[in-house]
Amino acid sequence: MENKKNRPSYLLYMAWIISVLATLGSLYFSDIRGFVPCELCWVQRIFMYPMSIILGIATFFNDRKVIKYVLPLSIIGGLVSIFHYMEQKVPGFAKIKPCTQGVPCSSEYINWFGFITIPFLALLAFSLISILLLSVRK
């Protein structure tokens, strides 16, 4: 019985760690590596950065009610990541909504193993956070 009681805090803690790593990763790419974020990168940051703070507070207080606030941020951020990844990887898809200023959203600063790009990493983080939050709910 004790193990089930600790389960939500462990899952919230994991979601918080992922959000912090994603936030630090985006700051590393822009501030240390010098990659200029495109418009869709900024939108993804808008959804990820607050989760680092909100999930940190929720983890500290073991507050499972935070799911109804953070899960929509994670799902919407994930949808933006999917759209951004498709702009990079699907030929002709970038013409649907081309970025109007600065760096084109179809540019790839990294391309590890031929498929891992920055939007893919963001999608992975948003997906893992969503899965963990849905697991806390159960």
Side-chain angles (χ1 to χ4, degrees):
M1 197 70 168
E2 188 70 31
N3 196 12
K4 282 188 178 182
K5 192 173 189 177
N6 291 334
R7 184 173 180 227
S9 62
Y10 172 73
L11 296 174
L12 280 174
Y13 180 74
M14 292 297 294
W16 173 63
I17 291 295
I18 292 168
S19 69
V20 168
L21 289 174
T23 298
L24 293 175
S26 75
L27 292 171
Y28 166 77
F29 282 132
S30 63
D31 294 342
I32 295 173
R33 297 284 304 268
F35 300 159
V36 178
C38 70
E39 289 179 25
L40 289 175
C41 288
W42 280 112
V43 173
Q44 291 166 80
R45 288 175 176 208
I46 288 168
F47 288 100
M48 183 61 72
Y49 287 13
M51 287 196 300
S52 299
I53 296 167
I54 296 168
L55 284 171
I57 295 167
T59 301
F60 183 77
F61 290 107
N62 194 19
D63 183 7
R64 297 173 64 185
K65 295 176 188 168
V66 74
I67 297 166
K68 61 184 162 188
Y69 306 112
V70 176
L71 189 59
L73 291 174
S74 185
I75 291 170
I76 295 168
L79 292 173
V80 173
S81 296
I82 290 170
F83 184 82
H84 191 184
Y85 188 70
M86 288 178 69
E87 278 200 15
Q88 289 183 331
K89 294 297 185 182
V90 177
F93 195 83
K95 294 176 184 173
I96 292 174
K97 190 243 169 242
C99 289
T100 56
Q101 299 176 23
V103 178
C105 293
S106 59
S107 65
E108 298 178 17
Y109 285 118
I110 64 168
N111 190 2
W112 300 330
F113 307 111
F115 71 96
I116 299 175
T117 63
I118 294 173
F120 181 85
L121 293 172
L123 174 61
L124 182 63
F126 283 122
S127 298
L128 289 173
I129 291 168
S130 296
I131 290 167
L132 289 167
L133 292 176
L134 288 170
S135 297
V136 169
R137 232 172 124 182
K138 293 181 180 181

